[in-house]
Amino acid sequence: MHHDPAILQGLPQLVGVQLVEVLDFYDGPLDGLALYREREYWFSAVPEWIRDAEPSEPRPLVLHEITAQQAAQVRAESRQFDVFANGDGNEDDWQQAWDTRSTYDEAPAVGWFLEAATSVE
């Protein structure tokens, strides 16, 4: 699930956000973990960008508060998807893991940022 573009109204634009884990990607990151002020957050794309923007345009992403335990769950799921990407596991297992993966689009939004060129590996 991704956001209604109206979510950006009233939220501050944040600077200095770094992408940590990208779980969904289409011509750029759609959701995953980000680091801001030494804390991990969930990020998610705004659908307006998905529909109307060119791939070369900056992508607005919304940052959501999550717990350290939720961030650890996302990292564990990301490692599992890496296993699938390497050809280990079957397609049904991958589909079930994808369909049940953690997302936190409904968690409180703290701000938004434009996709950064740098990411943490």
Side-chain angles (χ1 to χ4, degrees):
M1 177 201 275
H2 299 285
H3 298 292
D4 179 332
I7 193 171
L8 298 181
Q9 295 176 350
L11 289 177
Q13 182 174 359
L14 306 173
V15 177
V17 178
Q18 293 180 304
L19 303 184
V20 177
E21 296 279 351
V22 175
L23 271 72
D24 198 2
F25 186 94
Y26 182 80
D27 289 337
L30 296 176
D31 65 29
L33 289 179
L35 186 65
Y36 178 64
R37 294 186 177 173
E38 300 181 20
R39 184 170 176 221
E40 288 181 311
Y41 294 84
W42 177 256
F43 74 85
S44 184
V46 176
E48 182 174 87
W49 182 92
I50 296 167
R51 289 189 313 266
D52 302 329
E54 295 295 321
S56 61
E57 293 180 42
R59 176 176 293 191
L61 301 168
V62 178
L63 215 56
H64 298 272
E65 287 185 47
I66 59 172
T67 66
Q69 185 177 20
Q70 289 169 323
Q73 178 65 33
V74 171
R75 283 192 302 280
E77 290 170 359
S78 179
R79 286 190 299 275
Q80 180 63 50
F81 292 126
D82 288 343
V83 169
F84 290 130
N86 290 329
D88 300 329
N90 67 46
E91 190 174 326
D92 291 336
D93 291 342
W94 178 90
Q95 189 63 52
Q96 181 176 354
W98 185 257
D99 291 344
T100 60
R101 74 188 182 103
S102 303
T103 60
Y104 299 100
D105 296 349
E106 301 302 321
V110 298
W112 64 277
F113 64 103
L114 294 175
E115 176 190 355
T118 60
S119 63
V120 175
E121 303 266 339

